Amino acid sequence: MRSYQLYLIEDEFASHYLGRERMFYQLFLEYRQTKGYLKSIISKQVDFVTRPIPVLRIHQLLHQQLQKTQGFYVDNGSYVYKNKTNNSSAILKVHERWLELESDGQIDTETVFFEILRKCESAFLAIDLESNKYGWLKPIKERKFV
């Protein structure tokens, strides 16, 4: 099973840390692992570099894009996609400051959600803390100044 946390990074930080996404990964890893006073400090840092999730817009987009998709349904506030042909599934949970995506089986089930979310916002960073993987859903283009 794969598990991702998706954060919406502030645009100024997303462009400034282009190519250095590992620093975001390290911040979120420390946020998950620490406790006590240090946790409150890191929590403030996480809040500073992330934006709240546009929950209403994401709900609308998911319903609009997936309502006719076979195997898609909403269960207790979570979005579920099950592909019976290859026995794969993905569950997306929407929180105020992050999204949580768990998937099992083929990668195409999580890709369904990734493709929709990348249309919504340009600065979503997906992090899989268990597998040490991270990356932008929509790669940020480097600005070229003439």
Side-chain angles (χ1 to χ4, degrees), residues 120-132:
C120 180
E121 291 285 342
S122 62
F124 267 118
L125 182 69
I127 299 175
D128 181 353
L129 294 172
E130 304 301 322
S131 301
N132 301 327

Side-chain angles (χ1 to χ4, degrees), residues 65-97:
Q65 297 286 318
L66 293 173
Q67 66 184 351
K68 296 178 182 173
T69 303
Q70 189 174 19
F72 168 74
Y73 60 93
V74 179
D75 181 30
N76 208 14
S78 297
Y79 294 91
V80 181
Y81 174 63
K82 291 191 178 190
N83 187 336
K84 292 182 181 177
T85 58
N86 61 14
N87 202 23
S88 300
S89 65
I91 300 170
L92 179 71
K93 298 175 185 172
V94 180
H95 303 279
E96 185 180 327
R97 298 292 292 194

Side-chain angles (χ1 to χ4, degrees), residues 15 98-99 128 138:
S15 61
W98 78 93
L99 302 173
D128 181 353
K138 184 175 186 176

